[in-house]
Amino acid sequence: MKRLYAYFFRGLISFLPVGLTVYVLYLFVIWVEGSAMRVLRPFTGEFYLPGLGIVLGTVLILVLGFLVSQPFMTRMLSWVELPFTNLPLVKSIYSSLKSFADYFSPHERDAQQVVLLKKPDSELSIIGLVTRQNLSELPLDAQTRQNVAVYLPMGYMIGGYTVFVPREWVQVLDMSVEEAMRSSLTAWMGSTKTPSDPA
């Protein structure tokens, strides 16, 4: 009986990540296709090709990315963001999400570093993410401005802490930000390798 329980839970643990991923992707595709169908039906009538919503969504995102990359869009974007950056509660949520998204957006990779944080007189080591190399614009004292900002995510992404530490306290690790965030999500209980990574 114990062996049957072990087989069952091993099968369940193997199935859940794949099953939940497929289910979330399925819900996303259904939502995109339904939205596209509602938008296109007034123009195309009953004609609709499956997958057109995914294609349309991809094209719209590419066009949006091209537009926001143009210099003339800076002022227009500031106008669009105006309500989100001035309402008290909305401002906090929007600013946090925007800062988080900007951190993972394509830019200079030297700011996106996974580091091992270790105080010289302590045996404790913590893995974190360097979120800011230059603190000169922050209202900090002169000594603290020489430090770097390191974000320490908590297990299961229930929060985290940002600490300002001397540069010599951090050691850059050969790990991508995506790997570190994925491992932090499960409190480092699983492997950092994806199924496609070589053994």
Side-chain angles (χ1 to χ4, degrees), residues 32 51-65:
V32 171
L52 191 58
I54 301 295
V55 174
L56 181 61
T58 303
V59 171
L60 289 176
I61 291 175
L62 288 173
V63 171
L64 179 62

Side-chain angles (χ1 to χ4, degrees), residues 131-169:
T131 57
R132 193 160 185 162
Q133 298 274 5
N134 188 351
L135 307 180
S136 59
E137 298 179 358
L138 299 182
L140 304 171
D141 59 85
Q143 182 177 355
T144 306
R145 289 179 183 177
Q146 304 302 316
N147 297 345
V148 292
V150 180
Y151 175 68
L152 307 175
M154 297 173 63
Y156 303 100
M157 298 304 292
I158 60 174
Y161 301 93
T162 300
V163 294
F164 304 109
V165 299
R167 297 177 186 272
E168 57 269 20
W169 286 17

Side-chain angles (χ1 to χ4, degrees), residues 85-105:
T85 56
N86 285 275
L87 295 175
L89 181 60
V90 176
K91 176 182 178 180
S92 300
I93 299 174
Y94 178 76
S95 299
S96 300
L97 292 176
K98 189 174 188 302
S99 298
F100 187 77
D102 287 343
Y103 180 73
F104 290 97
S105 65

